[in-house]
Amino acid sequence: MMAMAVKQFIGKVAEKKNVAPNFWEIYFDKPEGLGGQAGQYLSVKVNEEGERRDYSLASRLDEDKLRLMVDVAPMGKGSTLFYNCKVGDEMELMGPMGNFFLRENADSSGLLFVATGSGVVPFRPMIYELLEKGEKRPVRLHWGMKTDGDLFWVEEWKELADKYENFEFDIVLSREGPESVWHGCRGHVQDCLVGHEQIWNGWEAYLCGNQSMIEDVQQLLVTRGIVKEKVYFEKFY
Amino acid sequence: MAYTAGSDKAPVSTKYQVKVINEKCIGAASCVAVAAMTFKLNGENKADIIDQDGNVDEEKMLAAQSCPTAAIEVWDTASNQKIWPK
């Protein structure tokens, strides 16, 4: 196997935005000549002992800043670092890297994206890339979150759906209360997919998020027309 | 200053030995990205060791540190001590 070149660089925090109660966008200046593919992640050194955590890139390849989306709810070492960081702080970064990127099999009849929580993050650059370079096959995003208040990027997904008739998205909320006016699907995203009558014959699928969703959806998709070899996944933990 | 890890030049021998704790591995493949001459993903999407001397010690340590689930142990063969995770 050929060795992949992985860049190590110092990233300076250029901007920080709180987009939902537990979700922060962190922007870094982008080094010149940084390669990578939509769907990959950066490894971030989170303490002096050298421990690292991985964060999917939310930014498109053509954007001039690197963007991460951090769920700080766990308040682990990575979450704490990003929650407390300030513009101008420097961090040791490595990447982009990872095996989660678009395969775009020419014989696929559609592309399905299923995410839980921050698992939607790598799908932003992946879906933009597909649509903006003229993808005509159906592209579907199903995203599971807890409550309406946790959501981010919804307007962006709506704009994409308005602009590209082959893109549709569906948000599924698992903890929205009965008094809520939420009109979308409720429950876990995998349960909502089970309820769909849809068959995805010949599609390829990208799954990103918690392990139980990935295992459940992998099993479901095989019964609905997607071969196991065309299901690509990245487990968050 | 950027530098590139994951060299193609295999050293003759290295001081560090690495071990993958299979049940912790989630197939993130950062080890493969950093030290591709030492690690690969197998058919079950778990990391396997190809060659203990596939990359220099610094790269093997970085690969272990890059693992999000601390599934890679690094052992110093001289002292027979585990040096990562601490």
Side-chain angles (χ1 to χ4, degrees):
Chain A
M1 180 193 291
M2 285 290 290
M4 273 175 65
V6 176
K7 273 217 163 84
Q8 289 194 68
F9 57 99
I10 301 297
K12 185 182 269 194
V13 177
E15 196 176 347
K16 187 178 172 185
K17 290 187 199 172
N18 187 205
V19 297
N22 286 322
F23 289 91
W24 289 81
E25 283 183 332
I26 311 291
Y27 293 78
F28 293 94
D29 294 328
K30 190 173 180 180
E32 270 200 44
L34 192 71
Q37 300 179 72
Q40 291 187 309
Y41 60 84
L42 291 182
S43 167
V44 181
K45 184 176 164 188
V46 297
N47 58 27
E48 287 309 309
E49 285 70 37
E51 289 181 272
R52 308 187 76 97
R53 296 291 182 267
D54 299 336
Y55 292 91
S56 290
L57 279 159
S59 40
R60 291 158 22 199
L61 297 178
D62 60 350
E63 287 174 330
D64 62 3
K65 295 259 186 292
L66 298 173
R67 187 195 321 188
L68 304 181
M69 175 69 82
V70 180
D71 177 1
V72 299
M75 270 302 162
K77 290 166 187 170
S79 311
T80 305
L81 174 74
F82 283 113
Y83 183 74
N84 292 323
C85 78
K86 295 181 176 37
V87 172
D89 284 355
E90 292 185 338
M91 298 185 188
E92 291 184 35
L93 308 177
M94 185 163 64
M97 55 191 183
N99 288 337
F100 194 61
F101 48 82
L102 290 168
R103 263 57 173 193
E104 295 181 82
N105 300 294
D107 60 346
S108 294
S109 38
L111 297 102
L112 178 68
F113 295 85
V114 184
T116 51
S118 54
V120 78
V121 172
F123 293 162
R124 180 180 179 270
M126 290 163 96
I127 290 172
Y128 263 105
E129 180 172 308
L130 280 169
L131 297 174
E132 290 190 338
K133 67 179 194 186
E135 177 60 65
K136 298 297 180 215
R137 293 172 291 184
V139 178
R140 297 287 179 271
L141 168 64
H142 297 274
W143 180 28
M145 288 286 271
K146 290 178 184 165
T147 70
D148 191 18
D150 294 319
L151 296 174
F152 53 87
W153 295 347
V154 180
E155 286 310 309
E156 201 167 352
W157 297 126
K158 284 181 183 169
E159 283 172 18
L160 280 176
D162 287 342
K163 185 175 177 183
Y164 297 100
E165 61 177 17
N166 59 320
F167 173 64
E168 291 177 19
F169 73 99
D170 173 37
I171 296 175
V172 186
L173 300 181
S174 61
R175 295 194 193 170
E176 196 70 358
E179 71 288 352
S180 159
V181 296
W182 178 254
H183 295 299
C185 283
R186 292 168 184 254
H188 291 121
V189 67
Q190 55 266 45
D191 300 326
C192 197
L193 288 176
V194 168
H196 282 218
E197 293 297 319
Q198 189 166 0
I199 300 292
W200 294 283
N201 271 334
W203 286 47
E204 62 191 58
Y206 299 86
L207 317 178
C208 188
N210 70 62
Q211 186 158 330
S212 70
M213 177 280 285
I214 287 173
E215 288 169 359
D216 290 349
V217 174
Q218 275 182 303
Q219 287 180 19
L220 171 70
L221 294 183
V222 164
T223 69
R224 299 283 185 93
I226 300 185
V227 299
K228 187 177 160 195
E229 292 70 30
K230 279 197 183 177
V231 179
Y232 311 102
F233 58 89
E234 180 122 291
K235 288 179 188 171
F236 285 11
Y237 60 98
Chain B
M1 185 163 110
Y3 71 88
T4 302
S7 65
D8 284 327
K9 294 191 169 77
V12 174
S13 66
T14 54
K15 196 173 105 172
Y16 293 167
Q17 292 274 291
V18 288
K19 186 172 156 187
V20 177
I21 311 302
N22 195 260
E23 53 271 21
K24 286 189 177 182
C25 179
I26 60 168
S30 48
C31 57
V32 177
V34 173
M37 306 302 280
T38 303
F39 299 97
K40 69 174 177 68
L41 284 192
N42 62 25
E44 294 172 3
N45 215 43
K46 301 268 187 175
D48 275 345
I49 295 166
I50 309 168
D51 181 356
Q52 285 286 354
D53 295 329
N55 289 87
V56 298
D57 285 337
E58 183 189 54
E59 290 165 351
K60 292 193 290 185
M61 176 60 88
L62 189 59
Q65 290 172 333
S66 76
C67 177
T69 56
I72 300 174
E73 291 180 353
V74 180
W75 289 75
D76 184 327
T77 55
S79 62
N80 202 28
Q81 298 282 324
K82 185 175 71 145
I83 56 173
W84 187 269
K86 290 184 182 172

